[in-house]
DNA sequence: GTGTGACTTCTAGTCCGTA
DNA sequence: ATACGGACTAGAAGTCACA
């Protein structure tokens, strides 16, 4: 766990959408991390809403999941 | 100028949408920066697609403009 | 009112381990 | 396969002087 302070709403939406989309595709965090070229533990941390992820990595993850970056930020995914 | 390397597509969409939305509201970069509680030059730099902005600041700017964070990432805004 | 380079501070992001 | 901690490095955050 790295971040606690102010888990912004958007960050939490992203976390939930990321996890939901990943599981829908039957991917593990490890597998997703490898596709997105990010680290295993980092992806897990993002899914827990602990990280203030940057736009480039949002795009990386969105691409890895085959969805649009915008869709991962929506409240009602 | 800060960033050259790989201006990701999403970053550029965000940059364009941010600028377009701001101008539609008749705000200057300075004014938007003040509302979003960010620095003038930082906002300008983001609008030029030079910064790999994080999700928290995306939310800040989206709120300042009265739009959803997701809408600022869409290609056809 | 905006563009830009340089700069410092702080955290995003990596990698090791352990559970 | 996932969570979490510690320690580290890369890079985002944030500011300024000047154009």
């Amino acid at each position: 766990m790295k971040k606690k302070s102010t888990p912004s709403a958007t960050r939490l939406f992203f976390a939930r959408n990321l996890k939901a989309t990943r599981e829908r595709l039957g991917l593990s965090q490890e597998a997703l991390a490898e596709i997105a070229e990010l680290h295993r533990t980092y992806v897990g941390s993002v899914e827990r809403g602990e990280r203030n992820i940057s736009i480039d990595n949002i795009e990386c993850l969105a691409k890895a999941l085959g969805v649009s970056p915008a869709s991962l930020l929506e409240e009602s995914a």
Side-chain angles (χ1 to χ4, degrees), chain A:
Chain A
M1 197 172 289
K2 252 331 165 347
K3 255 282 185 177
K4 270 94 143 56
S5 47
T6 317
S8 72
T10 309
R11 194 195 296 187
L12 295 178
F13 293 152
F14 181 80
R16 272 180 233 140
N17 293 340
L18 179 64
K19 177 166 181 143
T21 307
R22 175 179 63 77
E23 291 179 338
R24 191 156 42 72
L25 294 175
L27 291 169
S28 68
Q29 289 181 354
E30 278 181 335
L32 172 59
E34 182 148 4
I35 299 171
E37 297 182 289
L38 292 171
H39 222 264
R40 209 194 86 226
T41 57
Y42 183 66
V43 173
S45 169
V46 168
E47 279 193 2
R48 271 169 263 130
E50 293 162 8
R51 297 284 188 147
N52 186 16
I53 192 173
S54 70
I55 194 170
D56 281 5
N57 281 339
I58 289 175
E59 177 173 7
C60 278
L61 289 168
K63 276 182 179 168
L65 292 170
V67 299
S68 78
S71 73
L72 289 177
L73 293 190
E74 284 161 3
E75 179 166 2
S76 53

